[in-house]
C-alpha cells in the first residue's frame, strides 16, 4: 500500500441491484413500481421544459419549499415537520450522520436493508446487529438494551415482514433517550404507518420514499417526518453538506405524485392484488415464504437452490435479487411486477422445476 493510501477513508460500498442495459428483460430485482408515475408528473415535466427551461441557469430553492409543502399537506403536518432528500437513501444517510453520534452502538436487525452497516462504517458509528428469529421476525426485546439509536424498516427488507404498530410503539417508548428511525420505504403496500406516533414521541423519525408506491425511483425523492426539532437538526447537517440537494425539475414535478390520490390508490391496489395471487401460485410450485406486506416476496424452494434458480432466471432475462449473505443465501427476493410479467415468471419457474424433476429421475 502506498503511503498516501493509508489515510484514505476506505469503505466497502453498498451494492445496488443490477440495471440491465438490454431491453425486453423482466426486471423484478430492485422493487421498482411496474406502473408509470401519476400522469400529472408528465404534465409538470412538459410544462417545465416549455416554460421554465431558462430557470435552469439559477440554483433551485434550497428549502425545496414546494415539495415540502405538498408532502406536509398530504400527511396533515406542518412544513417544519418534513425533510426531503435525494431518495430515502440520502435522507437516511443524513439521518445517520445527524442522529447517530454516540459511543454506544446503534441497533438494527441482522437481516435488513444492507445500506445500514455501510453508512455506519462510513461515518464510524458503532453498531450491533440484532438477530431476527427463525421466522425472520424482529425480536422486540433485543431493542431494550443500552444503545446509541435504533433503525429498522417496516415492513423489513428483504423479508417483507410487517411489525405491528403496538410493538413499534413499545420500542420507541423503551428508547426515549435515543432517536428511533422507522424506514417505511414499503409501508404503502399494506402496512400501517407509525407516523401518528410522531405527535406522541419526539424521538421518532419516519422515513418514506417516492421510489416504490409512487413510481418515481428514477427521480430520487425521499422524505423524513418527525417533530420540528429533529427536522431542524437534519437540515443543519444537510446545509453543512450540500444546500441544493433537490433540483428544479424534481421540485417542479414530484409534488404531482402526491396530488393524484386516485391514481396512487389504483396502482397500490393492483400491486397488492398481484402479490396475493403470486403468493398462491408460488406456493403451488413448492416455494415457501413468510407473509410479505411489501412489493416483493422473499422466497425459498423446498428442493432447489436459490442461486441455481436465480441464474436460470437471469439466463432467460428475468432478473430477481439474490443475496449471498449468511442466513439468506438460499432465498430470492422477487419484486411484484405487472400481472403479465408475473405470469411469465411463474410459467418459467413451472417449466424449470419440471425439467429439474425430470433430470433428477434420469
Ligand atoms: N429503505 C429500504 C428498506 C429500501 O429497500 C430502499 C430501496 N433500495 C431504500 C430505503 C431506498 O430507496 P430510495 O433511495 O429509492 O428512496
Amino acid at each position: 500500500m502506498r503511503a498516501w493510501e493509508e489515510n484514505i477513508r476506505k469503505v466497502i460500498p453498498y451494492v445496488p441491484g443490477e440495471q440491465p442495459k438490454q431491453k425486453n428483460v423482466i426486471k423484478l430485482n430492485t422493487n421498482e413500481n411496474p406502473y408509470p408515475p401519476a400522469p400529472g408528473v408528465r404534465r409538470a415535466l412538459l410544462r417545465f421544459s416549455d416554460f421554465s427551461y431558462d430557470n435552469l441557469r439559477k440554483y433551485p430553492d434550497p428549502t425545496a419549499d414546494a415539495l415540502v409543502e405538498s408532502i406536509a399537506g398530504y400527511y396533515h403536518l406542518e412544513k417544519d415537520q418534513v425533510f426531503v432528500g435525494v431518495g430515502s437513501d440520502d435522507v437516511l444517510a443524513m439521518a445517520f450522520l445527524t442522529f447517530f453520534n454516540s459511543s454506544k452502538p446503534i441497533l438494527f436487525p441482522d437481516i435488513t436493508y444492507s445500506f445500514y452497516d455501510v453508512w455506519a462504517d462510513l461515518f464510524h458509528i458503532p453498531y450491533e446487529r440484532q438477530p431476527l428469529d427463525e421466522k425472520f421476525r424482529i425480536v422486540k426485546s433485543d431493542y431494550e438494551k443500552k444503545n446509541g439509536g435504533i433503525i429498522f424498516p417496516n415492513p423489513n427488507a428483504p423479508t417483507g415482514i410487517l411489525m405491528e404498530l403496538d410493538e413499534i410503539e413499545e420500542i420507541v417508548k423503551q428508547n426515549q433517550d435515543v432517536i428511533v428511525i422507522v424506514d417505511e420505504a414499503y409501508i404503502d403496500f399494506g402496512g400501517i404507518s407509525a407516523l401518528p406516533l410522531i405527535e406522541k414521541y419526539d424521538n421518532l423519525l419516519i422515513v418514506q420514499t417516492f421510489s416504490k408506491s409512487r413510481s418515481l425511483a428514477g427521480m430520487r425523492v425521499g422524505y423524513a417526518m418527525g417533530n420540528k426539532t429533529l427536522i431542524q437538526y437534519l437540515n443543519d447537517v444537510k446545509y453543512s453538506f450540500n444546500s441544493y440537494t433537490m433540483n428544479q425539475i424534481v421540485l417542479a414535478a414530484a409534488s404531482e405524485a402526491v396530488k393524484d390520490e386516485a391514481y396512487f390508490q389504483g396502482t397500490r391496489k393492483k400491486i397488492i392484488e398481484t402479490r396475493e395471487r403470486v403468493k398462491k401460485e408460488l406456493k403451488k410450485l413448492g416455494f415457501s415464504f413468510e407473509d410479505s406486506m411489501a412489493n416483493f416476496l422473499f422466497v425459498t424452494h423446498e428442493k432447489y437452490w436459490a442461486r441455481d434458480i436465480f441464474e436460470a432466471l437471469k439466463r432467460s432475462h428475468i432478473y430477481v435479487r439474490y443475496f449471498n449473505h449468511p442466513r439468506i443465501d438460499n432465498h430470492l427476493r422477487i419484486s411484484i411486477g405487472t400481472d403479465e410479467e408475473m405470469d411469465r415468471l411463474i410459467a418459467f419457474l413451472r417449466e424449470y422445476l419440471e425439467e429439474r424433476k425430470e433430470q433428477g429421475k434420469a
Side-chain angles (χ1 to χ4, degrees), residues 14 30-31 86-90 92 113 116 119 153 155-157 183 185-186 208-212 217 220-222 296 333:
Y14 170 75
T30 49
N31 299 340
V86 186
S88 54
D89 282 341
D90 178 44
L92 289 165
Y113 187 29
Y116 297 161
W119 287 314
N156 195 7
D183 175 353
Y186 303 101
Q208 295 191 4
T209 178
F210 280 24
S211 295
K212 316 293 179 183
R220 313 303 299 126
V221 181
F296 54 82
R333 192 195 68 191

Side-chain angles (χ1 to χ4, degrees), residues 104-285:
K104 294 191 206 91
I106 62 164
L107 308 178
F108 49 80
D110 63 339
I111 299 166
T112 194
Y113 187 29
S114 44
F115 227 137
Y116 297 161
D117 53 355
V118 175
W119 287 314
D121 285 335
L122 177 64
F123 301 139
H124 298 173
I125 300 163
Y127 59 94
E128 258 177 33
R129 296 185 176 96
Q130 305 305 306
L132 299 182
D133 70 12
E134 74 288 351
K135 292 186 120 187
F136 287 160
R137 269 158 223 282
I138 290 177
V139 182
K140 185 170 62 69
S141 57
D142 286 346
Y143 297 83
E144 285 169 7
K145 59 183 86 157
K146 282 245 167 295
N147 65 72
I150 290 174
I151 178 159
F152 55 88
N154 194 46
N156 195 7
T159 62
I161 296 175
L162 187 76
M163 200 175 184
E164 296 298 327
L165 209 50
D166 55 350
E167 284 197 80
I168 293 181
E169 177 161 7
E170 198 55 39
I171 291 178
V172 181
K173 203 168 167 183
Q174 296 289 327
N175 287 283
Q176 293 188 51
D177 294 340
V178 297
I179 305 304
V180 178
I181 302 176
V182 184
D183 175 353
E184 294 190 337
Y186 303 101
I187 197 69
D188 291 329
F189 300 105
I192 298 173
S193 173
L195 182 63
L197 295 178
I198 66 171
E199 301 297 342
K200 200 162 158 194
Y201 299 97
D202 59 9
N203 62 320
L204 173 64
L205 190 78
I206 304 292
V207 176
Q208 295 191 4
T209 178
F210 280 24
S211 295
K212 316 293 179 183
S213 56
R214 296 189 188 272
S215 308
L216 278 178
M219 195 166 260
R220 313 303 299 126
V221 181
Y223 52 105
M225 299 173 285
N227 86 81
K228 63 180 189 186
T229 311
L230 290 186
I231 300 304
Q232 178 64 51
Y233 279 123
L234 263 176
N235 271 314
D236 288 348
V237 169
K238 173 198 135 166
Y239 287 123
S240 313
F241 203 84
N242 176 6
S243 314
Y244 306 109
T245 52
M246 311 307 285
N247 70 58
Q248 284 187 23
I249 300 168
V250 169
L251 293 181
S255 303
E256 297 298 326
V258 286
K259 286 192 190 141
D260 195 338
E261 184 63 7
Y263 184 84
F264 170 67
Q265 294 299 348
T267 47
R268 206 168 77 92
K269 187 160 167 274
K270 272 198 280 192
I271 291 166
I272 293 171
E273 280 169 5
T274 307
R275 178 187 70 205
E276 295 308 310
R277 183 174 71 81
V278 171
K279 280 180 187 171
K280 290 191 198 124
E281 297 285 344
L282 290 179
K283 274 226 167 85
K284 281 192 236 156
L285 294 177

